[in-house]
Amino acid sequence: QFPFGRRLPCDIYWHGVSFHDNNIFSGQVNKFPGMMETVRKITLSRAMRTMQDLFPAEYDFYPRSWILPEELPLFVTQVRVMKDSNPSWKPTFIVKPDGGCQGDGIYLIKDPSDVRLTGSIQSRPAVVQEYICEPLLVDKLKFDIRLYVLLKSLEPLEIYIAKDGLSRFCTEPYQEPTLKNLHQVFMHLTNYSLNIHSGNFIHSASVNTGSKRTFSSILCRLSSRGADVKKLWSDIISLVIKTIIALTPELKVYYQSDIPAGKPGPTCFQILGFDILLMKNLKPMLLEVNANPSMRIEHEQELSPGVFENVPSPVDEEVKVAVIRDTLRLVDPQKNKRKDAHLAFTTAKSAVIHSPVLQAGMKDKQHKHHSLKLSLKLKFYLKLGSCRSSEQAPGAGEELPDAAPSPEAALPSLCLKQVFPKYARHFSHLRLVDRVAALFIRFLGVRGTTKLGPTGFRTFIRNCQLSNSNFSMAAVDILYIDITRRWNSMSIDHKESGMCLQAFVEAFFCLAQKKYKTLQLHEQVKSLVELCECRLAALHGKRLLWGCG
């Protein structure tokens, strides 16, 4: 640890909360710039809504959401319309503060009029979502799943999912929400930090029982009941990949701001905590994504009033130690060097075995000289490959090991499974907003910024030839001002003026709808992206020709 700052470069930097060191010029950092902001409840809900607009059937795993206070009138209106069209619909909603964690400030309501506007909702905005009233129950208790996901690389996109996770249980038997039980947090909220204060919370030495269990133990139980566990895992993998695809455009904007292309800087990776709820029909629903999932492997136990002791938690240890260990194995910068050394060892061994020096049994001094050279070479490769080396040259007929034992040979198999790019072909069509973000970044102009100025927006329109007699440059300016002003009024961060990525995406969708009126939204956006990419490529080709000329 470097409490007063570091002096020497490192291979891996492990930051506590967020990416914060701008003096790193190499190595790898365990946090992405902007991840904390990207997975906040409001930003996540907006990203998911954008994808739901484009691909409604693909993104039905995220509950319908509204952002408070700006969408409160819309929330009230839409709920009233849905109730009028279906009088039997008796919804429940859950309100989550944007910056809240560990269950802080979460409450349930039955009607939009019950939203607590007292206090400062302007300074602490929130997301309100449809509450999932029919969760899967185990032992009559509601539970959620914490899965650990490694985002190893953003460009190219590389995602790993841990093969096991945690199942965190409520501590009171579940009942469907009513006005009488809405306030019973131990029945409705699965947050560990809340339920640990319940008198019914059970710390168990077994991974199969208690208020916190392994996800694999739940899968075994489901499998014994005849559930299709393979399909469930497939659905969870799909949910994770689609969620990260929704988040990557915003992350890329932050990344180019903190680590501009062409400048020396680190690469990044990050462990994320996905909180998932299973419905009664085994459909996984995304609750939220945590940028800083807890990696504690012990819990506090009260020995006597006011006296606490940290006690190991076997469940946490089994899951979390493997995630940390295998993350370090995957990002280990020395791994490729060891592979090269392993290959070199095998080559050297083959050379020694087939050498006439060994076959002749070192009969004269010249042979001895060659043998010594080969022995020293072999010892060098053995040492480089972290293998046991012999102090003496191998004699005639002496058997050499078949391969250099790898340092990883003693470790368990990886608990992290690669899911992207392994399954990329099934999801590549969803990466439309990624391509829109690439256009946005291209016209940002000033390095280190995350917002597009009016000149950059006009340049984008001109270079892509999107203005015409029906859409003049004056109309372009009006579109920019209207959308930017509205998004800036909703933003808490007013440090930087200009058009943010989400505002640009809205403007881009607006342009696509104007140009391709008869198509569906995702086809409109795809057509406009292809048109822009084609025209920019042609413009780049012309500039290269002019440069040569």
Side-chain angles (χ1 to χ4, degrees):
Q1 294 188 23
F2 292 91
F4 305 108
R6 60 186 166 73
R7 294 186 179 89
L8 297 171
C10 307
D11 291 320
I12 296 174
Y13 299 84
W14 199 275
H15 286 183
V17 178
S18 60
F19 182 91
H20 59 266
D21 192 339
N22 293 320
N23 296 316
I24 299 176
F25 302 108
S26 63
Q28 299 182 80
V29 186
N30 74 316
K31 294 283 186 279
F32 278 93
M35 182 65 84
M36 285 271 291
E37 294 79 3
T38 303
V39 300
R40 284 175 74 106
K41 293 176 181 67
I42 285 180
T43 317
L44 174 64
S45 293
R46 283 177 174 153
M48 299 303 281
R49 185 184 296 175
T50 298
M51 298 307 287
Q52 285 172 337
D53 289 342
L54 288 169
F55 308 101
E58 302 261 15
Y59 280 82
D60 62 348
F61 56 83
Y62 191 69
R64 187 160 28 188
S65 307
W66 297 265
I67 294 159
L68 304 179
E70 68 211 48
E71 293 181 350
L72 182 58
L74 178 67
F75 173 48
V76 171
T77 303
Q78 288 187 345
V79 171
R80 188 180 65 244
V81 168
M82 286 186 283
K83 280 185 174 179
D84 289 344
S85 62
N86 183 11
S88 64
W89 184 52
K90 306 291 182 187
T92 303
F93 303 96
I94 184 166
V95 183
K96 304 175 182 178
D98 181 45
C101 61
Q102 299 182 335
D104 176 43
I106 296 176
Y107 61 96
L108 272 60
I109 59 173
K110 295 295 284 183
D111 190 86
S113 61
D114 298 330
V115 171
R116 297 171 193 168
L117 292 173
T118 54
S120 179
I121 198 163
Q122 289 287 351
S123 62
R124 199 184 187 197
V127 169
V128 58
Q129 295 179 322
E130 271 191 87
Y131 181 75
I132 300 163
C133 293
E134 295 191 347
L136 177 71
L137 303 181
V138 169
D139 300 331
K140 298 182 181 179
L141 298 170
K142 179 181 174 182
F143 68 97
D144 75 353
I145 304 155
R146 163 62 61 84
L147 275 186
Y148 296 95
V149 174
L150 171 64
L151 181 56
K152 186 172 178 283
S153 166
L154 201 55
E155 194 62 63
L157 187 59
E158 197 171 347
I159 308 166
Y160 291 78
I161 297 180
K163 293 176 183 176
D164 204 354
L166 299 172
S167 298
R168 304 169 303 181
F169 282 75
C170 286
T171 45
E172 288 183 14
Y174 179 77
Q175 297 172 8
E176 284 205 16
T178 64
L179 290 173
K180 288 183 179 179
N181 68 29
L182 280 183
H183 64 284
Q184 295 184 28
V185 293
F186 298 145
M187 177 189 292
H188 295 294
L189 303 184
T190 53
N191 304 71
Y192 167 77
S193 52
L194 289 176
N195 281 281
I196 196 171
H197 299 294
S198 164
N200 298 327
F201 192 93
I202 301 170
H203 289 291
S204 176
S206 167
V207 298
N208 304 314
T209 59
S211 297
K212 189 191 278 188
R213 313 176 195 180
T214 58
F215 180 44
S216 56
S217 72
I218 302 296
L219 290 176
C220 284
R221 195 158 168 176
L222 292 174
S223 180
S224 68
R225 294 178 185 173
D228 190 345
V229 171
K230 283 188 177 179
K231 183 184 184 304
L232 174 56
W233 255 121
S234 175
D235 291 344
I236 288 173
I237 289 169
S238 176
L239 177 153
V240 167
I241 293 173
K242 288 173 182 177
T243 301
I244 289 183
I245 284 173
L247 297 175
T248 50
E250 197 81 41
L251 280 174
K252 285 181 179 178
V253 173
Y254 279 108
Y255 195 90
Q256 65 78 36
S257 172
D258 280 72
I259 311 171
K263 279 193 172 183
T267 55
C268 300
F269 64 95
Q270 189 154 351
I271 298 169
L272 302 171
F274 273 65
D275 292 346
I276 296 168
L277 186 75
L278 296 182
M279 293 178 67
K280 195 182 285 185
N281 62 0
L282 294 188
K283 178 181 174 63
M285 298 292 288
L286 177 68
L287 299 180
E288 58 184 65
V289 180
N290 197 314
N292 294 300
S294 169
M295 287 296 168
R296 286 190 64 176
I297 56 171
E298 71 275 324
H299 60 83
E300 283 187 345
Q301 186 172 328
E302 192 169 14
L303 301 177
S304 58
V307 179
F308 292 89
E309 180 186 36
N310 282 332
V311 179
S313 168
V315 181
D316 287 298
E317 192 168 332
E318 178 160 324
V319 174
K320 295 176 183 177
V321 169
V323 170
I324 296 283
R325 178 196 67 220
D326 292 349
T327 294
L328 292 173
R329 287 165 74 184
L330 284 168
V331 302
D332 179 8
Q334 302 298 322
K335 194 173 184 179
N336 289 334
K337 291 180 184 177
R338 284 199 294 272
K339 278 183 183 174
D340 292 343
H342 190 75
L343 179 63
F345 166 80
T346 308
T347 308
K349 174 208 162 182
S350 177
V352 171
I353 288 172
H354 295 99
S355 167
V357 176
L358 287 184
Q359 292 167 4
M362 299 180 290
K363 289 181 181 176
D364 53 33
K365 286 183 181 179
Q366 187 182 7
H367 280 181
K368 285 183 181 178
H369 173 68
H370 285 304
S371 179
L372 180 62
K373 283 177 72 176
L374 283 166
S375 174
L376 289 171
K377 197 174 186 180
L378 179 58
K379 281 168 70 176
F380 169 74
Y381 285 129
L382 283 164
K383 194 171 184 181
L384 196 64
S386 302
C387 305
R388 181 177 58 83
S389 64
S390 172
E391 288 300 321
Q392 297 180 353
E398 184 176 338
E399 193 174 321
L400 290 170
D402 287 335
S406 163
E408 292 204 4
L411 292 172
S413 60
L414 282 170
C415 79
L416 293 167
K417 174 187 177 183
Q418 190 196 76
V419 295
F420 201 96
K422 184 176 181 180
Y423 303 124
R425 63 190 180 88
H426 300 292
F427 301 95
S428 55
H429 66 286
L430 301 175
R431 303 191 70 183
L432 261 184
V433 184
D434 244 16
R435 294 163 73 184
V436 176
L439 295 171
F440 175 80
I441 291 168
R442 181 171 182 155
F443 289 95
L444 277 176
V446 181
R447 282 182 177 179
T449 185
T450 59
K451 291 192 175 179
L452 186 67
T455 305
F457 189 70
R458 288 172 66 93
T459 306
F460 157 68
I461 296 292
R462 265 199 302 269
N463 286 4
C464 294
Q465 303 168 36
L466 299 181
S467 61
N468 51 43
S469 56
N470 296 322
F471 186 59
S472 65
M473 290 309 289
V476 169
D477 291 337
I478 292 168
L479 177 68
Y480 175 87
I481 292 166
D482 284 350
I483 292 179
T484 302
R485 187 179 292 161
R486 182 160 44 78
W487 276 92
N488 286 345
S489 70
M490 295 188 292
S491 173
I492 301 170
D493 177 20
H494 297 289
K495 287 184 283 188
E496 194 180 346
S497 62
M499 177 180 268
C500 64
L501 173 64
Q502 291 166 331
F504 181 79
V505 169
E506 184 185 323
F508 195 90
F509 282 19
C510 181
L511 293 169
Q513 287 168 318
K514 281 185 178 183
K515 193 164 186 68
Y516 305 100
K517 292 185 173 69
T518 59
L519 300 178
Q520 291 185 330
L521 180 61
H522 74 275
E523 292 172 337
Q524 292 171 332
V525 173
K526 183 183 177 185
S527 299
L528 186 58
V529 165
E530 289 172 348
L531 178 70
C532 291
E533 289 171 344
C534 181
R535 286 178 174 173
L536 290 172
L539 183 63
H540 180 66
K542 282 182 183 177
R543 285 173 177 168
L544 284 177
L545 272 175
W546 294 335
C548 293

